[in-house]
Amino acid sequence: MYDITVVGAGPIGSHLARKFAEQGHEVLLLEKGKVGKPLKGTGHVSKDIFDHVPEKDKFVEKEIHGAVVHNNGSSFSFGRDRHTSYVLDRVEFDRYMAKRARKVGADFRRERFIDMKTKKGKVTVKTDSEEYETKLLAGCDGPLSDVRVAAELSKPELFLHGIFTNQIEVGPIQQNHVEVFLDTSEGFFGWKVPRKESFEYGLAVELGKDSRTYLEDFAKKEGFNISQVYSGMIPMLPPEKVTKNRVFLCGDAAGQTKPFSGGGLIYGLTAAEIAAETVDPEKPTTLEQYEEGWREELMGEIKTGNRIRKLYGLPSFLRYPFLWLGKHRSKHAHMDRPKSLLGYKK
Ligand SMILES: Cc1cc2nc3c(=O)[nH]c(=O)nc-3n(C[C@H](O)[C@H](O)[C@H](O)COP(=O)(O)OP(=O)(O)OC[C@H]3O[C@@H](n4cnc5c(N)ncnc54)[C@H](O)[C@@H]3O)c2cc1C
């Protein structure tokens, strides 16, 4: 019997699997597809990423110095004088994370999780080819989480649809700031992110809206070509509970993302670490400590981030004073901690 079965070898599942395996637990890591494929996101993260994983050139594509936010003809610069963040090669990053988990003994299997049953102090996990017994089951299987469905846990409150394309440039990219376009989407924003040899252009819209048409309008305005398109769901606002019996969710499956940017890597990695610190496979009641711990760490920031997200839906003239204020308060602000804009210290 495994101590813990982790479904999904995305970055959060791999991190969680590694953390438990490092503690000497028997870990099964299930992945239905090819690690890192299809491309799942931009990979724009704060410097804090290296509080969670070792610094490696192989997956860092670009160092970023701040952002420029465009609002109906006006532009606001944030943090351009400092090195604030990185753009990662997400395929390389996801592969690296999965390799690290395997290296410390997580039993990686290319199988699709299908269903589970909790009975007599264990969970029986059914995949497309085997059945396993495990003391705990962790759903790190992304926004549409099959584990969440099987465990009858609620889904996050809101889902956006993100879509992006890469425009290859001749020669290395000099621009080292990201751009945010508040008028390209309703209720969210568009972005232009410099990579090593290309610019990524993308946007997110509420589910049900035609993201492709928004991207085409954006392409006309900014003069880029749409070649290959990548897309994915961005879950936001975690449900009231992400734990039940011997099951818990982590990462996108739990909606642990930043509502004002859609970024999920740092919050998901943080939650995975809290799970590894608090949860004991021999004592499933410790799942309550995980539930309390990650909420204490992240929910305040998620709520503040959601208030910021709501400002994107305002008419541009009403956004203007908030942008002005944000710019003037942003000197010591941290991109993962929107409460820092309000003067809160960690
Ligand atoms: C357009 C877009 C842009 C983004 N940009 C950023 C950004 O700049 N910065 C940032 O921090 N975040 C960004 N994100 C969010 C980020 O991609 C996610 O938060 C992150 O991928 C979450 O990792 P995860 O491991 O929880 O889930 P995922 O990366 O989705 O991994 C889940 C894994 O589970 C596997 N799986 C699913 N179902 C099963 C099953 N039944 N059985 C077995 N395996 C299964 C999947 O194949 C996948 O490998 C963006 C997202 C999108 C859509």
Side-chain angles (χ1 to χ4, degrees):
M1 174 153 33
Y2 288 97
D3 291 321
I4 179 164
T5 296
V6 180
V7 179
I12 312 308
S14 295
H15 197 54
L16 187 73
R18 177 182 169 94
K19 289 281 168 190
F20 274 94
E22 273 175 345
Q23 293 171 8
H25 293 299
E26 290 293 321
V27 180
L28 172 63
L29 176 59
L30 297 171
E31 171 55 52
K32 70 174 180 186
K34 244 182 154 180
V35 173
K37 297 281 183 90
L39 180 60
K40 296 206 189 61
T42 310
H44 181 219
V45 287
S46 71
K47 287 199 279 194
D48 288 9
I49 190 73
F50 299 122
D51 294 345
H52 305 279
V53 296
E55 192 158 348
K56 288 267 184 281
D57 284 347
K58 65 187 268 193
F59 56 72
V60 174
E61 265 200 63
K62 191 104 190 154
E63 242 182 62
I64 297 291
H65 298 252
V68 173
V69 178
H70 305 286
N71 180 45
N72 191 24
S74 319
S75 297
F76 297 80
S77 283
F78 292 84
R80 290 288 308 282
D81 51 342
R82 350 174 224 148
H83 159 218
T84 45
S85 52
Y86 293 100
V87 179
L88 308 183
D89 176 332
R90 268 301 300 267
V91 177
E92 279 301 324
F93 181 66
D94 288 22
R95 284 184 185 152
Y96 170 77
M97 295 297 279
K99 252 189 220 152
R100 287 185 89 215
R102 294 173 86 154
K103 220 172 169 179
V104 291
D107 183 3
F108 176 91
R109 299 195 183 196
R110 184 89 179 267
E111 291 172 36
R112 175 189 290 264
F113 165 89
I114 303 286
D115 205 359
M116 51 134 271
K117 269 201 187 86
T118 313
K119 221 178 178 181
K120 292 187 189 149
K122 64 181 183 199
V123 188
T124 306
V125 171
K126 190 168 173 257
T127 73
D128 49 5
S129 52
E130 292 282 343
E131 232 175 59
Y132 301 98
E133 292 187 339
T134 183
K135 291 174 192 162
L136 290 178
L137 174 64
C140 302
D141 47 347
L144 296 173
S145 180
D146 293 317
V147 172
R148 191 173 70 218
V149 174
E152 297 180 350
L153 280 159
S154 303
K155 56 184 186 194
E157 273 178 43
L158 178 70
F159 287 85
L160 300 184
H161 187 239
I163 181 167
F164 59 98
T165 187
N166 277 304
Q167 173 146 314
I168 309 285
E169 299 286 324
V170 182
I173 302 284
Q174 302 300 336
Q175 179 174 324
N176 61 8
H177 61 275
V178 296
E179 291 179 70
V180 170
F181 299 81
L182 291 174
D183 301 299
T184 53
S185 139
E186 288 167 56
F188 212 67
F189 57 79
W191 61 84
K192 177 181 178 186
V193 170
R195 312 196 72 94
K196 210 181 263 166
E197 288 162 354
S198 64
F199 280 109
E200 178 186 301
Y201 291 89
L203 54 84
V205 288
E206 277 173 28
L207 271 197
K209 295 208 164 132
D210 182 0
S211 50
R212 175 81 198 201
T213 303
Y214 280 91
L215 189 67
E216 283 166 5
D217 289 347
F218 187 24
K220 269 186 222 144
K221 271 192 214 149
E222 288 306 310
F224 62 89
N225 295 316
I226 300 177
S227 48
Q228 190 171 359
V229 165
Y230 303 91
S231 76
M233 304 262 266
I234 307 176
M236 291 181 174
L237 309 179
E240 263 183 28
K241 260 182 99 58
V242 301
T243 54
K244 187 175 180 183
N245 299 332
R246 291 173 174 267
V247 183
F248 68 102
L249 307 175
C250 200
D252 272 20
Q256 289 157 338
T257 62
K258 298 186 276 181
F260 65 99
S261 74
L265 290 171
I266 298 282
Y267 284 10
L269 296 173
T270 304
E273 284 158 17
I274 293 170
E277 279 159 22
T278 53
V279 175
D280 178 353
E282 299 302 329
K283 296 183 197 142
T285 51
T286 52
L287 285 176
E288 282 168 28
Q289 287 164 36
Y290 164 62
E291 186 87 80
E292 273 169 29
W294 80 261
R295 284 181 193 278
E296 196 176 315
E297 181 70 22
L298 299 176
M299 271 318 285
E301 299 294 356
I302 289 176
K303 283 182 183 160
T304 305
N306 194 40
R307 284 184 204 112
I308 294 174
R309 180 187 64 83
K310 286 182 179 165
L311 300 177
Y312 305 152
L314 294 176
S316 55
F317 73 96
L318 285 178
R319 290 193 298 244
Y320 192 93
F322 289 105
L323 283 164
W324 187 87
L325 205 67
K327 178 183 155 69
H328 287 276
R329 301 198 66 133
S330 70
K331 200 152 193 240
H332 304 291
H334 189 292
M335 69 182 257
D336 299 324
R337 295 196 285 273
K339 280 170 76 181
S340 60
L341 267 176
L342 309 173
Y344 285 89
K345 294 225 163 69
K346 202 173 180 283

